[in-house]
Each structure stands twice: as structure tokens, then as C-alpha cells.
Amino acid sequence: MNSKPRILAIDDTPTNLYTLGMALAGEFDLQIASSGPEGLVMARESPPDLILLDVMMPGMDGFETCRRFKAEPALATTPILFVTALSDLESELSGLSLGVADYIIKPFKVELVKLRIRNILSISRLSQELKASEECLRYVMEATGEGVWDWRMSDSAVHHNASWCRILGLDMSFLTHPVDTFMDLIHPDDRAGVQRVLGACLAGDGVYASEHRLRHSCGHYVWVADRGRVVERTATGEPARMVGSIANITERKRHEAEIHHLAYFDVLTELPNRRLLIERLQQAQLRNQRNKQFGALMFLDMDRFKQLNDTHGHAKGDELLIEVASRLRGCVREQDTVARLGGDEFVVMLENLAGPVDDAIGNARKVGTKILETLNRPYRLGDLPYASTPSIGLTLFSGKDDSIDGILKRADVAMYAAKSAGRNTLREADPGR
């Protein structure tokens, strides 16, 4: 198979063609034509890699022949070198305005001709490879649905592909827009984080990576994974151009939220479960130590809950637990935690109780008393009127020398003390511990 680059030489002077043939035959596959129309026919049948075109020819001159080549879709990007004895500026400008790659001045300097041909072929090959690579990347991006962005700092404009617009439900008028438009689309809660990560990337050489929400044209927000990096900088190191892409990760975020909810929340009551309670208790200890405050933990057990299940069925028991959870939420502040450990066992954790110890336990006792009164109110479980009461154990905790197990055990012991005292009451563990 012939791997030599194919060159089409068009010249009406046989001597010139002979000279070219002798000079180029060893390195290139040379085809010759004696006129512009003949060259066009040959090029259509077998597109060359490069065209050497004489400027001064009878009938159709080199300028018109060049225009004809550029009008052919299959030949429009084929590099053309003008071969001419003319060296005036006007002729060169005319040729360059038509898109010719270079000029070769007669008489030929063979080695210079070869060097220019090699250079032009190399540039052409690299250009074709780049175009193929860009087309491949564009195809992949479109196939995966990723939105591409290209931020030119010189004019503060961001350019996009169609997928970027589709992700956000925008029309094609948003293929180019000011960078401030992007910032305005970011969810207010995410904006500071995006600006921080983006600023770090612009200041250094790292990769920009952020997961945040962008406002869809319909008004809701779409979660995206946004990635990019600076690809051009000025002579002084300032960022000049940044490119990247976004992918819609809304479904992934929804699945993550579902998994998180199953891992940290009780399915029946939607309250935090034991795992989340332990994490919040650990965090509360750290805050207590930092702020020199106290927290309180209450264990609650619904009296004779098993009797309700045995007499009226588990569905009624579930209805009672759901109502208890709702009432407990209404007894505490937003910063406090109500959790369900399982069965009919609930935990209330109060935070930010100011000292001294007597004041902190006094405030916790007030909340405990409020819970007793609230859970003593009559219940209606479907068509069943029902009365139920809690037994509550209360303990205070700080942030020093107090283990999680120790806190939970004290509250549990106090709760069983309340049951032993006749139920429907509150008992406290030693507040000095």
C-alpha cells in the first residue's frame, strides 16, 4: 500500500511540471494537471493531501481555480500552495484572502519547496486529528448527556453545547451568556461553596470540582456534578480560559438521600434512629465542652404498650407511636432531637442548657414535665379512644469525662426507676455526673 502523501500539481508549463516531478517523486505521490478544470476533475476523483497551484494560467487562473476548490465540500480544507513568479504584495494578499496555505516563488529552490510541503502537510494532519478528536469528544459528550462549558475571561462570556442548555431546560439563546448568568443560576445555599472552590482553581493549577444545584427554567433545581480546569493563562499567570462540563446527578442525589434516610431515620415515625442519635450526642458533647454548657437526655417508655398491641393489634400500636412522635416534636425546640430507639422507646435530647448545674437540670425538668402532660392527653386511634402514659428517665450530661454509653445507661436506669415508682412519672439520674 502506498503511504506517500498525494500531491496534485497544476501548472500549464510542462517544464515546471517536469522539474516538480523530478524533485518530489521520491518522497511524494505526485499527480499532474495542466489546467485548473483538469485539476478539479482529478481532485474530485482522488482527493489529494495537498495542491500545488500555478497562479498565472490561461483561461482559468490560479485565483479562480482556488475559489472552485474551496467551493467543493470534499476539497475545501485541502491545503493549497500557490506557485508563482509574482512576488508583489497585492498578489500575496489576494491569495491569502482566498485561504491558501503558503506561496512558493519561481524559480524553485527544491529543498525549500520540500520543507514547506512537509510543514504544511504536518499542520494539515494535526488539524485533521484535532478536528476528529473534537468531533469524537463532542459525540461522547452528547451521547452521555454532559453539558460542556468554555469560559473566556477576556470577554467574561461562557459558551456551551446544546446538552448544557437541555439539562437546565434553556433554549439555544443561552449557548453563550455572561458568566454572571451562571452564578445567578446557582442555589443560594450552594453559591458560597462554588465560589470558594472556583476561586481556588483560578488561583492555582488544581481541578475545579463541585456538586451543587442549578435553577431549571421551570423553577426547580437540578443537582449537577461540575468539573473543569484552567487551560490558558496570560504571560503574568492570570487565568485566561477555563473549560469543563456538567452532568445531571439529580437521580443519584435522590438515591443517596433515600439511603441516608433509611440509615438514619425510623421508617414508622420518621424520627432519627439510634445511629443518628449517637452522632448528634457526640456532637453535642463537643459543643458543651467548647461553650461550657450542658445537655439533657430523656428516655421515654410508653406504659403498658404491649397490652395495646395484644388487645387491639399492631396497627393500633403503630398509630399510637406515630402520634407520640408528633407530640414529642411539639414539646422541644428545633435544635433539640427526638429519636426512636425501637418498640415504644423514645429519646429526647436537649442542647444548649446554660449552667450552673441546678439551672440546667431545672430547665430540663420543665421540658420533662411538659412532655408528661402532653403525652397524658387522650388519644384517638382511628375509631378507638385510648389513654396512655409515659415513664421518663432524665440525666444531665456535659462534654468532659462522660462516655456515650454512660449517658445512655444513666437515662435508662432513671427510666426504670420511674416505672418502679408507679409509671407516668419522671425520675432523674444524679445530675452531678
Side-chain angles (χ1 to χ4, degrees), residues 295-317:
L297 199 73
M298 283 181 267
F299 260 42
L300 292 84
D301 187 272
M302 299 307 295
D303 300 329
R304 301 184 179 87
F305 179 72
K306 184 176 182 300
Q307 181 178 335
L308 171 63
N309 277 339
D310 292 344
T311 304
H312 299 285
H314 289 280
K316 295 300 181 185

Side-chain angles (χ1 to χ4, degrees), residues 25-65:
E27 187 174 348
F28 305 102
D29 178 9
L30 184 66
Q31 297 175 309
I32 59 176
S34 59
S35 69
E38 182 184 358
L40 281 166
V41 172
M42 294 176 64
R44 292 188 187 111
E45 293 177 352
S46 180
D49 297 306
L50 181 142
I51 299 169
L52 294 172
L53 179 59
D54 185 25
V55 174
M56 302 302 293
M57 294 187 295
M60 184 188 296
D61 65 10
F63 295 112
E64 180 59 27
T65 303

Side-chain angles (χ1 to χ4, degrees), residues 107-340:
F108 302 124
K109 295 180 181 179
V110 174
E111 291 305 317
L112 182 59
V113 171
K114 286 185 177 181
L115 180 59
R116 289 192 174 183
I117 290 175
R118 292 189 200 108
N119 289 342
I120 296 300
L121 286 173
S122 178
I123 293 171
S124 177
R125 184 179 66 255
L126 290 174
S127 178
Q128 291 172 1
E129 291 174 355
L130 178 60
K131 181 180 179 181
S133 177
E134 290 177 342
E135 289 178 351
C136 182
L137 178 60
R138 189 179 303 111
Y139 173 79
V140 171
M141 288 298 188
E142 293 294 341
T144 59
E146 289 199 12
V148 178
W149 52 267
D150 186 342
W151 178 17
R152 313 288 178 90
M153 282 71 169
S154 59
D155 56 3
S156 298
V158 184
H159 307 272
H160 301 285
N161 66 347
S163 289
W164 191 93
C165 293
R166 283 196 294 269
I167 289 172
L168 300 178
L170 301 171
D171 59 44
M172 295 303 108
S173 66
F174 281 87
L175 286 173
T176 299
H177 62 71
V179 68
D180 288 344
T181 301
F182 162 72
M183 290 298 177
D184 291 341
L185 293 174
I186 302 173
H187 192 286
D189 293 345
D190 301 338
R191 195 168 296 153
V194 173
Q195 291 174 329
R196 182 177 62 255
V197 177
L198 184 58
C201 178
L202 294 173
D205 293 322
V207 174
Y208 160 70
S210 173
E211 293 186 356
H212 52 262
R213 289 161 288 182
L214 295 177
R215 188 175 65 251
H216 192 275
S217 63
C218 293
H220 63 277
Y221 282 89
V222 176
W223 273 102
V224 299
D226 201 359
R227 303 287 185 270
R229 72 180 309 148
V230 176
V231 295
E232 290 181 19
R233 290 186 179 273
T234 65
T236 59
E238 296 298 316
R241 184 183 179 192
M242 188 173 183
V243 298
S245 67
I246 64 170
N248 189 337
I249 59 169
T250 303
E251 279 300 301
R252 194 197 85 195
K253 284 291 186 179
R254 184 178 65 80
H255 289 311
E256 288 177 356
E258 290 176 354
I259 292 170
H260 179 272
H261 195 80
L262 290 173
Y264 287 96
F265 290 85
D266 175 58
V267 175
L268 178 66
T269 63
E270 298 291 318
L271 293 177
N273 59 16
R274 178 184 291 271
R275 182 177 179 181
L276 183 53
L277 171 68
I278 297 301
E279 289 190 9
R280 291 187 179 179
L281 183 53
Q282 291 171 333
Q283 294 166 3
Q285 282 185 296
L286 294 174
R287 285 191 289 270
N288 286 345
Q289 188 163 353
R290 184 170 59 250
N291 302 328
K292 302 187 184 310
Q293 293 183 321
F294 295 90
L297 199 73
M298 283 181 267
F299 260 42
L300 292 84
D301 187 272
M302 299 307 295
D303 300 329
R304 301 184 179 87
F305 179 72
K306 184 176 182 300
Q307 181 178 335
L308 171 63
N309 277 339
D310 292 344
T311 304
H312 299 285
H314 289 280
K316 295 300 181 185
D318 288 348
E319 289 182 39
L320 176 65
L321 296 175
I322 293 171
E323 178 60 24
V324 168
S326 176
R327 293 187 186 187
L328 287 174
R329 286 193 195 96
C331 291
V332 299
R333 302 163 298 180
E334 186 175 351
Q335 69 195 64
D336 300 322
T337 297
V338 178
R340 182 190 176 206

